[in-house]
């Protein structure tokens, strides 16, 4: 593993470069287990927001299939949330919930009441966002104006520098008041529901998991580029008082200047 020291764009974040996608997935799994055990030891539960995408999916599959990882987590203490969801029913092929169900939920024992999915089947995406906002407020016992403090937020990165469903130019990408937003995403030709940047940033630990040469330019723009969050939404991710970790494979980090 090559380490890149934090550059300006990462605001003191930890940037870890792994040799290849398999090593990246393993590093992400090790981080997930570490964060889960620390949260459960400290607070009796682990609240994690999962990301959609193919890179995070590999992580969920490894956690579910490698006994040393799977058995290291007290799954009955784990509460799963989603950083974002497509506005589709849970059995739809585009559903992030379905992806997690197939990769993880069908293989580990998590009580249904600990699975806090975004209801993509609602009549309109705003209703899904409102319902999810209410669920977050209830679970975390939030007063008006408070942000939930997730123990871990997992994020992917699109080649367009989107993260979660905060997309370049989308109507509510820069939202700071609500906890959850719904908006039309032109590039996806679909409505998306997403946690907002303040909620993502309130987490104890935020981990980007990014693989592939096709993401290298987005990584460079977000980490080292000029600040333009509406163009590069992943630049919105700056933990309020938590930890930010970039887990990259060598291909995704290839445009970052080498550090000592
Ligand atoms: C989604 C994700 C999205 C994803 C990135 C990276 O719902 O698609 O939340 O933000 O993480 O697009 O996806 P890949 O890892 O598949 O490139």
């Amino acid at each position: 593993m090559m380490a890149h020291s934090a550059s300006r764009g990462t605001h003191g974040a930890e940037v870890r470069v792994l040799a290849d996608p398999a090593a990246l997935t393993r590093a992400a799994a090790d981080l997930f287990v570490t964060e889960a055990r620390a949260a459960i030891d400290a607070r009796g539960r682990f609240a994690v927001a999962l990301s959609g995408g193919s890179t995070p999916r590999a992580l969920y599959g490894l956690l579910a299939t490698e006994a040393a990882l799977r058995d290291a987590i007290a799954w009955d203490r784990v509460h799963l949330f989603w950083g974002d969801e497509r506005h589709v029913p849970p059995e739809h092929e585009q559903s992030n919930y379905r992806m997690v169900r197939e990769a993880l939920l069908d293989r580990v024992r998590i009580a249904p009441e600990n699975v806090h999915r975004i209801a993509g089947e609602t009549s309109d995406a705003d209703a899904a966002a409102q319902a999810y906002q209410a669920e977050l407020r209830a679970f975390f016992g939030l007063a008006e104006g408070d942000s939930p403090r997730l123990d871990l937020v997992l994020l992917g990165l699109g080649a367009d520098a989107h993260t979660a469903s905060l997309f370049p130019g989308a109507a509510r990408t820069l939202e700071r008041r609500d906890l959850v937003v719904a908006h039309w995403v032109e590039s996806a030709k679909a409505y998306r529901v997403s946690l907002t940047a303040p909620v993502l940033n309130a987490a104890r630990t935020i981990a980007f998991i990014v693989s592939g040469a096709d993401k290298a330019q987005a990584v460079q723009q977000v980490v080292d580029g000029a600040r333009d969050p509406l163009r590069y939404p992943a630049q919105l991710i700056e933990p309020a008082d938590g930890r930010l970790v970039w887990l990259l494979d060598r291909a995704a980090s290839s445009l970052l200047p080498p550090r000592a």
Side-chain angles (χ1 to χ4, degrees):
M1 176 189 75
M2 279 193 303
H4 281 263
S5 62
S7 64
R8 173 179 52 79
T10 56
H11 303 277
E14 179 186 348
V15 179
R16 294 174 56 197
V17 178
L18 290 307
D20 53 40
L24 172 65
T25 301
R26 179 156 299 280
D30 290 344
L31 182 141
F32 188 101
V33 169
T34 301
E35 294 296 325
R37 293 172 70 94
I40 292 166
D41 288 351
R43 289 174 295 281
R45 72 184 189 189
F46 175 52
V48 54
L50 302 178
S51 170
S54 58
T55 311
R57 182 172 52 233
L59 160 61
Y60 309 145
L62 185 62
L63 286 171
T65 56
E66 186 160 305
L69 295 167
R70 184 187 59 238
D71 300 344
I73 297 174
W75 291 101
D76 61 324
R77 302 295 187 88
V78 175
H79 286 265
L80 299 181
F81 295 84
W82 274 254
D84 68 322
E85 185 57 278
R86 291 80 181 276
H87 185 229
V88 294
E91 68 280 359
H92 191 284
E93 64 176 6
Q94 284 289 316
S95 165
N96 284 340
Y97 165 77
R98 172 176 165 177
M99 182 270 280
V100 172
R101 180 177 56 72
E102 291 172 343
L104 181 64
L105 287 177
D106 288 349
R107 299 159 153 176
V108 297
R109 293 172 58 82
I110 296 184
E113 61 270 22
N114 288 22
V115 178
H116 310 271
R117 69 178 183 85
I118 299 170
E121 65 274 26
T122 51
S123 56
D124 69 73
D126 276 325
Q130 292 301 319
Y132 203 54
Q133 185 157 275
E135 177 150 2
L136 287 166
R137 288 210 164 107
F139 180 82
F140 287 96
L142 298 180
E144 189 71 26
D146 289 347
S147 268
R149 186 145 211 225
L150 289 152
D151 294 305
L152 174 62
V153 165
L154 297 175
L155 292 173
L157 181 72
D160 61 358
H162 84 262
T163 193
S165 281
L166 304 176
F167 279 79
R172 302 195 69 189
T173 287
L174 300 181
E175 172 68 34
R176 302 197 59 79
R177 184 175 45 83
D178 287 346
L179 306 181
V180 189
V181 292
H183 52 197
W184 175 259
V185 176
E186 184 58 28
S187 58
K189 293 284 187 286
Y191 279 97
R192 294 283 194 100
V193 181
S194 185
L195 296 183
T196 55
V199 174
L200 300 171
N201 288 335
R204 288 184 173 82
T205 296
I206 306 167
F208 278 102
I209 311 169
V210 190
S211 172
D214 63 320
K215 304 292 178 69
Q217 187 169 15
V219 168
Q220 182 196 38
Q221 286 161 340
V222 172
V223 168
D224 273 345
R227 185 151 180 78
D228 185 354
L230 190 54
R231 185 172 174 195
Y232 310 126
Q235 287 184 343
L236 292 166
I237 305 306
E238 299 171 343
D241 67 351
R243 184 164 78 113
L244 174 58
V245 182
W246 284 85
L247 296 178
L248 308 169
D249 66 11
R250 195 164 285 156
S253 73
S254 57
L255 295 181
L256 286 182
R259 263 95 169 151

